[in-house]
Amino acid sequence: GFAAGSGDSEGVDMSVRQPVAMSPVRRGRGRPKRFDRIVADLVADIAAGRLVPGQRIQARREMALRYDATIVTVQKALAEMEAAGIVRSEGWQGTFVCDHPPCLRRFGLLLPDRPGKDGGFTSRFHASLALAAAEDGRRNGCEWIIYDGLLAGGKVLKRLQSDLTGHRLAGLATPFFRQLQPLIRDLVSYRIPVVQIGGAAPDPGCHHLDFDRHHLNNLAARRLVAAGCCRPMVAVLANIVPAHLSNILKTLERSGLSVAPGAVMGFDPAYADWISQWIAGQWALPRAHRPDGLLVMDDNFIDAIQLGLSRLQIAAGRDLTVVAYANLPYHRMPEGFLGIGCESSGILEMAREVLQ
């Protein structure tokens, strides 16, 4: 996961990588590619502000020459856009961009999982992005359509495809999730802007909202040192990339922190008892060797860590410094936990700015 952090914490350096050339449009077998190019290019021009509401678009004959298409193909493309409320025809005066085309302020947020019975997502990061989408819509007058449960396919995937073919979206944002990559590659072919939030190098055609891991690791080390820690323990995902773990341990060592071999442990967040037992074992060490800090490297550990500490009657912030890579707004952090990173609302606003 990636961090959304405290109101008083330093932010994570983020940068946006521009996409390479996008793939050609793929549509139904019976539709000519020129038809799709005309529609996709006009929607892209409107979403990017190159064509503004009320502006007259290129004449049909000029468009036919530009795309090497027939007048009939151009007319069908414009008729589809008119049906979608993007343009309006005013007879001999021409075709104009509608005053409020739906593709201007409507964005899609793609999430692999869907809320459970308690209304929460499997990942706190995904939950925080969903909350930030609603907040961004209220504050900035836009609309985020959430497509959750995409890994399962079915109705949500059909709804997404319908909105894309109906030109009802200005762009898409998605947190990096390896199993979604084949779908992202296909979506790029719709010639719609796509922003990948975090993760490895994006697919061709995607913008990349990048998080600087080195900066985040240094920030975690500074937080621990500032709290007077000397011997932190580190909780990581069991399937963490070895290079990522090596980077954080080297960063902690360069900061003068000592991490004993047994003080680093990989877990599945679903097994809270294992995490509790590990904390109990570390806490039972002689005081001279007992850890005085805890670095939580994934937000999905937070509930299990909090449970383990409460069972041992250890107060975060008083008895033990706890620094968490927290993918949720700071006001939802447990008492005594220090969150690092940037807030999810800021992440989503930056994604929207890229899409616009």
Side-chain angles (χ1 to χ4, degrees), residues 116-321:
K117 293 180 180 179
D118 60 352
F121 286 86
T122 304
S123 166
R124 287 175 182 261
F125 187 32
H126 300 163
S128 67
L129 287 176
L131 290 172
E135 180 185 343
D136 187 49
R138 288 191 299 268
R139 188 169 58 245
N140 296 299
C142 61
E143 182 180 7
W144 283 93
I145 309 298
I146 298 177
Y147 303 91
D148 51 29
L150 280 171
L151 282 183
K155 292 182 179 179
V156 66
L157 183 57
K158 291 180 179 179
R159 181 163 60 93
L160 172 60
Q161 292 170 334
S162 174
D163 286 345
L164 288 171
T165 55
H167 321 294
R168 291 185 281 272
L169 298 170
L172 301 169
T174 177
F176 175 76
F177 200 82
R178 197 174 305 280
Q179 288 89 333
L180 278 184
Q181 297 309 97
L183 173 63
I184 302 304
R185 281 192 287 272
D186 186 59
L187 294 178
V188 167
S189 71
Y190 282 85
R191 301 176 68 88
I192 186 171
V194 179
V195 171
Q196 176 183 297
I197 302 171
D203 286 308
C206 284
H207 298 270
H208 191 202
L209 196 57
D210 194 20
F211 296 78
D212 189 334
R213 287 184 183 274
H214 295 292
H215 179 83
L216 192 61
N217 293 343
N218 286 325
L219 179 56
R222 288 202 301 271
R223 278 298 183 94
L224 290 167
V225 171
C229 293
C230 298
R231 299 176 302 278
M233 46 185 170
V234 183
V236 301
L237 283 173
N239 61 351
I240 188 173
V241 177
H244 294 169
L245 178 58
S246 176
N247 285 336
I248 184 60
L249 294 179
K250 288 179 180 178
T251 302
L252 295 177
E253 290 173 3
R254 284 196 300 267
S255 301
L257 298 167
S258 176
V259 183
V264 181
M265 193 62 66
F267 298 100
D268 182 331
Y271 296 98
D273 287 342
W274 292 5
I275 297 176
S276 297
Q277 291 172 18
W278 172 65
I279 295 174
Q282 292 295 307
W283 201 248
L285 293 172
R287 184 172 293 274
H289 302 286
R290 181 187 302 170
D292 52 9
L294 171 58
L295 177 58
V296 185
M297 291 190 63
D298 193 278
D299 66 331
N300 290 309
F301 287 127
I302 290 176
D303 290 339
I305 293 291
Q306 187 181 23
L307 178 61
L309 295 178
S310 64
R311 285 177 176 175
L312 297 167
Q313 297 183 333
I314 300 172
R318 186 193 68 192
D319 303 323
L320 185 71
T321 299

Side-chain angles (χ1 to χ4, degrees), residues 12-31:
V12 177
D13 288 342
M14 293 186 290
S15 60
V16 179
R17 298 177 186 173
Q18 298 298 321
V20 299
M22 291 188 178
S23 310
V25 178
R26 294 197 298 269
R27 291 288 193 274
R29 293 180 181 177
R31 290 174 40 156

Side-chain angles (χ1 to χ4, degrees), residues 37-89:
R37 281 189 57 208
I38 293 168
V39 174
D41 286 353
L42 286 174
V43 170
D45 286 344
I46 294 169
R50 291 185 290 271
L51 286 173
V52 299
Q55 183 176 344
R56 184 176 182 271
I57 67 174
Q58 197 173 30
R60 287 172 171 76
R61 289 191 178 277
E62 295 173 0
M63 204 174 295
L65 290 172
R66 175 183 170 187
Y67 289 95
D68 190 23
T70 65
I71 293 291
V72 172
T73 297
V74 173
Q75 288 175 335
K76 286 183 177 179
L78 294 178
E80 179 173 298
M81 294 182 67
E82 187 170 9
I86 300 171
V87 300
R88 65 177 186 273
S89 174

Side-chain angles (χ1 to χ4, degrees), residues 77-109:
L78 294 178
E80 179 173 298
M81 294 182 67
E82 187 170 9
I86 300 171
V87 300
R88 65 177 186 273
S89 174
E90 297 188 1
W92 63 270
Q93 291 184 337
T95 302
F96 298 80
V97 180
C98 289
D99 293 336
H100 301 286
C103 58
L104 264 186
R105 301 290 291 171
R106 184 178 293 150
F107 307 91
L109 176 60

